[in-house]
Each structure stands twice: as C-alpha cells, then as structure tokens.
C-alpha cells in the first residue's frame, strides 16, 4: 500500500528546487563585467606595456578571478568583448575615474570588477581588486594582498585568497 504525502509537505517539496523552502526565493546571480587585470609599474614614468610573461600572468589571474567569483554563484560574468575598443581606449581602468562602471552598465551588467597588480620589485607585487555598482560607480567591495614570489602559483593563489577572504567574505552589500 502506497503512503500518501500530506498536501502541505508535497507543496513544499515541489517548491524546493527553486529555493523557497528556506523561507525566501533565491535570486539569480547578478551580472558582472569582469575586466582584465592590469599592471601598474610605478618605477617607470608614464607606465609601460606588460612583458609577455607578465601578460600571461595577468590573463591567469583574470581567469582565476572569473572562476572564483562564479564558482559559488556570487555573480554571472558578462562578455566584455563587444566593448574591447572602449576598454582599450580608457585603459588603465584602475585610474580612469570610474569609467569601468559605465562600460559595465553598457554591457548590461550590475557590477564592474576591476583589478591591477602593482609591481613593487621583481619578487613583490600588490594585487588589488574592486567591485563597483555599475549604475552608480559606488565601490561595493575591495581587497588587496601582497604577492611575495613571481610564479604562476603564487599569483593564482593570491587571487583566490582575495576573492575568498575579501570580496566574498560576506554577501555583497544589498545583494543577498
């Protein structure tokens, strides 16, 4: 003989996949424009282009940032390729006075995520990442960590640490 499930429990079980059982519906992740991490070398007046090895590491940490932010459903990354010309024109984004938020808004994103690595010496770097509201340009969250060795592993580890311990240590303000 089959057991009948009470109607109230059946209704709760039907709603479980969409997250209503916990008392509130789970919102879709916000869209974020995750811009390429840039290089700041204050030892060179007027700046300089990144060397090929630095370019590779910057791409590596940009991908680590994207993966770490999306891993727990914190954000959904939007494709920034359609604004590549504007991004290049405004670069470096870390000193364009909030232009990243405007570009993110144009892309339909809710958040603008930017980052840069500041070269202190051949073995010491500062990794900085910020998240801003695309509508207002207001800083939502930021984090920094010192990288004390110039290897792929230390750069990738530093990015994962910043995301976990600074950017997503708590839910993003007004975003939960």
């Amino acid at each position: 003989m089959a057991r009948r499930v009470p109607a109230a429990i059946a209704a709760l079980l039907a709603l479980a996949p969409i997250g209503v059982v916990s008392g509130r519906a789970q919102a879709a992740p916000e869209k974020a424009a995750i811009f390429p991490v840039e290089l700041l070398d204050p030892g060179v007046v007027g700046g300089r282009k990144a060397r090929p090895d630095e370019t590779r590491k910057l791409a590596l940490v940009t991908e680590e940032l994207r993966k770490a932010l999306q891993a727990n459903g914190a954000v959904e990354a939007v494709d920034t390729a359609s604004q590549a010309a504007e991004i290049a024109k405004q670069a470096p984004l870390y000193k364009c006075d909030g232009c990243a938020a405007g570009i993110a808004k144009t892309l339909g994103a809710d958040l603008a995520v930017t980052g840069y690595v500041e070269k202190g010496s051949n073995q010491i770097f500062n990794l900085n990442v910020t998240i801003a509201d695309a509508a207002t340009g207001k800083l939502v969250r930021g984090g920094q960590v010192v990288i004390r060795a110039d290897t792929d592993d230390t750069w990738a580890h530093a990015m994962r640490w910043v995301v976990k311990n600074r950017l997503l240590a708590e839910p993003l303000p007004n975003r939960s």
Side-chain angles (χ1 to χ4, degrees):
M1 178 172 174
R3 288 183 56 191
R4 283 187 45 108
V5 177
I9 293 174
L12 284 174
L13 291 173
L15 293 174
I18 58 172
V20 177
V21 172
S22 67
R24 68 178 212 219
Q26 294 200 352
E30 288 195 273
K31 294 182 179 181
I34 302 171
F35 297 101
V37 176
E38 299 168 307
L39 177 69
L40 166 62
D41 188 348
V44 178
V45 176
R48 65 171 173 86
K49 286 195 172 256
R51 296 185 321 255
D53 63 317
E54 293 168 333
T55 300
R56 186 182 52 72
K57 284 185 183 120
L58 293 169
L60 171 81
V61 294
T62 299
E63 186 55 30
E64 285 294 330
L65 174 61
R66 182 175 280 106
K67 286 190 313 191
L69 285 175
Q70 292 185 112
N72 67 355
V75 300
E76 176 187 331
V78 299
D79 187 8
T80 59
S82 65
Q83 290 292 310
E86 185 64 18
I87 294 167
K89 177 182 166 188
Q90 297 292 337
L93 298 182
Y94 60 83
K95 65 181 208 178
C96 71
D97 198 26
C99 69
I103 298 169
K105 190 173 180 180
T106 300
L107 291 164
D110 305 304
L111 302 168
V113 182
T114 59
Y116 67 93
V117 175
E118 179 181 7
K119 183 174 181 172
S121 72
N122 288 334
Q123 293 294 312
I124 300 176
F125 305 85
N126 292 311
L127 171 64
N128 300 273
V129 182
T130 60
I131 300 175
D133 185 287
T136 65
K138 182 181 175 190
L139 185 65
V140 174
R141 188 70 52 85
Q144 175 197 1
V145 67
V146 175
I147 303 171
R148 296 194 182 270
D150 192 12
T151 68
D152 290 358
D153 288 340
T154 56
W155 282 49
H157 175 75
M159 181 57 81
R160 289 189 302 268
W161 188 90
V162 164
V163 172
K164 178 183 175 188
N165 296 292
R166 295 295 182 256
L167 303 181
L168 300 179
E170 302 170 5
L172 292 171
N174 303 316
R175 310 258 183 231
S176 56

